[in-house]
Amino acid sequence: GKTTLLRLLAGIGQPAAGTIRRAHNLRVGYFSQDKHDLPHQGTVLDALRELDRTVPEGPLRDHLALFLFCGDDVDKPVAELSGGEKQRLSLARMLRSQFDLLCLDEPTNHLDVAGTEGLEQALKEFPGTVVIVSHDRRLVDEIADRVAWVENGGLRTFDQGLAQCQRVLAEERAA
């Protein structure tokens, strides 16, 4: 259900009932775990540069460094990247793109601690809205200012983040 919700928010598929209305010209990025958005040719730096050829190399390298691509790593062919490296590059590309809304499905799967920290920093700097499906409570605690808790077919929102969500749920279970 959570992945289906993200896909519907991203405009992939149609809801079984009801309608979804989006703002005119809303630019939505969807991160799934299959990484089909990467180019098959070129280097890591080329994959980021193709999004906007007007950006100088320095800022592109700085952005890639958030995702642990440093020095000669940026010259590595995309075709030779491991699964985790592809995931990091896909996230780097998404966060560098001109999206208003990001829908991220388990973005920290296959990331190590340093990769997760780079993602957290990039998400904190992202100027738009981010909807994340994640079991990584640390990530949610670090970046989310609103939590939607899905349980037993229902949805509840907590406007003060994960700490409020956990506190209220614990109080309810204790009662």
Side-chain angles (χ1 to χ4, degrees):
K2 298 179 295 289
T3 296
T4 300
L5 174 63
L6 278 185
R7 290 175 55 82
L8 291 173
L9 289 173
I12 302 168
Q14 295 296 318
T19 59
I20 296 175
R21 287 181 280 192
R22 290 176 192 79
H24 183 66
N25 292 328
L26 179 70
R27 298 165 299 177
V28 181
Y30 174 67
F31 175 81
S32 68
Q33 297 177 49
D34 56 22
K35 297 169 266 326
H36 289 302
D37 67 321
L38 296 177
H40 298 291
Q41 303 293 319
T43 66
V44 169
L45 185 59
D46 295 335
L48 195 60
R49 182 181 288 125
E50 80 176 18
L51 299 175
D52 185 352
R53 299 201 180 276
T54 66
V55 177
E57 187 170 312
L60 296 178
R61 284 179 172 272
D62 291 344
H63 183 72
L64 285 168
L66 284 173
F67 295 89
L68 308 179
F69 293 106
C70 302
D72 292 341
D73 294 341
V74 301
D75 297 321
K76 193 172 185 180
V78 172
E80 295 177 12
L81 297 178
S82 70
E85 288 171 324
K86 286 180 180 178
Q87 181 152 352
R88 287 189 281 127
L89 179 57
S90 183
L91 288 164
R93 284 170 47 92
M94 179 168 287
L95 284 157
R96 189 71 190 188
S97 297
Q98 300 294 316
F99 294 119
D100 303 305
L101 169 65
L102 297 179
C103 297
L104 307 178
D105 193 1
E106 296 289 354
T108 58
N109 282 1
H110 310 295
L111 292 183
D112 59 13
V113 173
T116 299
E117 289 172 351
L119 173 62
E120 287 172 10
Q121 183 62 38
L123 289 172
K124 287 176 182 177
E125 295 173 9
F126 181 71
T129 299
V130 180
V131 178
I132 296 177
V133 167
S134 181
H135 291 92
D136 184 340
R137 291 182 183 218
R138 184 181 178 285
L139 174 72
V140 174
D141 191 43
E142 285 292 318
I143 65 159
D145 54 10
R146 177 178 290 165
V147 171
W149 188 266
V150 179
E151 185 175 48
N152 298 327
L155 175 79
R156 296 172 63 185
T157 60
F158 299 89
D159 293 336
Q160 297 170 6
L162 185 60
Q164 177 201 23
C165 173
Q166 290 176 317
R167 184 178 66 254
V168 169
L169 293 174
E171 289 169 358
E172 289 174 358
R173 289 183 180 125

